[in-house]
Amino acid sequence: MERGFALIDDDLRVEHEIPVFDDPGVRMNEGACDATGRLFCGSMAYDAREGGGRLYRLDPDLSVHVALEGVSIPNGLVWTDAGRTALHADTLAGEVRAYDYDPSNGRVGASRVFVRIDEESGAPDGLALDAEGGLWVALWGGGAVHRYDVRGRLDQTRPVRIRFQ
């Protein structure tokens, strides 16, 4: 959905639409679910302007809430520490932020920079956690995936090459 959420059936037909905003200059970008089934999805401006997006939360009762304001290009969302910390990439800002997270109510709290990516390396996009708690960050425009340890220190770089045929 470009401007909201949708529930689909087993045949991928839309059963129910949940509009979130009507700004034609903004679209939904990427989302993820927390351990309780809340769906978070970030929006971004088509012109990719700084601070032009938000992170929305869709609760199981289908109510929608703004979880974060002022994000630019929201990507990659994962939870650590038994769901008490959310890691979220803002591609335009070139950083992954760690947010205090309350799994009992889905509220996002105070944040800090967990990883800052220099422009020459690319921009943080998708995120994944491994079994040791390491954070893998796909670098848009960087041709690589970085792994950061639990303290946010780069400990692996894997080049990625895509061949089109």
Side-chain angles (χ1 to χ4, degrees), residues 17-88:
E17 290 187 28
I18 305 161
V20 175
F21 54 86
D22 59 7
D23 183 343
V26 176
R27 68 171 174 86
M28 290 296 214
N29 192 48
E30 185 174 321
C33 286
D34 74 1
T36 67
R38 295 180 193 99
L39 174 60
F40 289 77
C41 191
S43 67
M44 64 171 282
Y46 278 107
D47 64 4
R49 70 181 172 275
E50 186 174 336
R54 292 180 171 161
L55 183 67
Y56 295 95
R57 184 186 79 229
L58 176 66
D59 285 347
D61 66 1
L62 304 184
S63 61
V64 177
H65 310 272
V66 175
L68 287 176
E69 298 266 5
V71 295
S72 299
I73 303 177
N75 276 302
L77 181 60
V78 294
W79 286 264
T80 66
D81 305 325
R84 292 185 306 274
T85 302
L87 297 171
H88 185 248

